[in-house]
Amino acid sequence: MAFVYSISIAPERGQFKTPVEKATFIENLGIDGDGHRGDWGRQVTCLNRQSVERVNAEKGLQIGPGQYAENVCISGMEELDLQVGDRFSLGGDVVLEVTQIGKPDHPSVVTKAYGVSLLPSEGRFCRVIRGGEVCTGDPVTKL
């Protein structure tokens, strides 16, 4: 079963994100208090927890929640096989839609600091279809 491992936000783009226990997702906008909010397709970024663990092990790193610049780290995300256009729920109330997989690395703050990044290759960028509150540990379900 997939679940929300962590939620992280930063007030501006181009910064490492700070973990929070819960967050408010706003329909058609993003996460309250996060710099990526706005009317565009990359309102929320999601990463697979197992990918974070794999890269940390391969590179000898101990990068924690939000340090890959992700908003939501999902344990078991590979089971969901999320593709562009897919919708999934966080905690049963919030609904996200995948708008993009990966992105160009410009190089990001993550690449500059650690020499590696996951969002350009594995990040799931999403729009908030239905808002609400999400907490760490909440279930994640493909719709």
Side-chain angles (χ1 to χ4, degrees):
M1 180 179 102
F3 67 92
V4 175
Y5 177 82
S6 64
I7 305 164
S8 303
I9 61 173
E12 296 179 21
R13 294 181 191 178
Q15 298 179 335
F16 292 111
K17 297 184 184 294
T18 303
V20 296
E21 287 297 312
K22 62 183 174 181
T24 301
F25 288 63
I26 303 167
E27 186 175 318
N28 295 318
L29 191 61
I31 301 174
D32 189 32
D34 189 68
H36 281 87
R37 289 185 335 185
D39 185 17
W40 68 319
R42 293 187 352 213
Q43 296 170 347
V44 177
T45 56
C46 300
L47 274 180
N48 184 9
R49 175 66 187 156
Q50 285 69 19
S51 294
V52 170
E53 291 172 348
R54 175 184 45 81
V55 171
N56 280 348
E58 288 173 359
K59 303 292 184 181
L61 300 169
Q62 292 185 358
I63 300 175
Q67 298 302 289
Y68 278 107
E70 80 283 0
N71 290 117
V72 182
C73 191
I74 300 171
S75 184
M77 190 169 92
E78 73 280 1
E79 299 167 17
L80 304 175
D81 188 32
L82 297 172
Q83 302 300 315
V84 173
D86 286 346
R87 290 183 177 192
F88 60 104
S89 68
L90 304 175
D93 292 329
V94 172
V95 175
L96 303 182
E97 180 179 80
V98 178
T99 59
Q100 182 178 328
I101 299 174
K103 70 177 184 88
D105 192 1
H106 39 79
S108 67
V109 64
V110 178
T111 304
K112 289 177 185 175
Y114 304 119
V116 65
S117 185
L118 281 171
L119 291 182
S121 59
E122 298 187 30
R124 296 308 194 261
F125 297 91
C126 306
R127 290 185 63 86
V128 180
I129 302 303
R130 186 172 68 214
E133 190 169 89
V134 176
C135 298
T136 57
D138 279 352
V140 179
T141 307
K142 186 173 180 178
L143 303 175

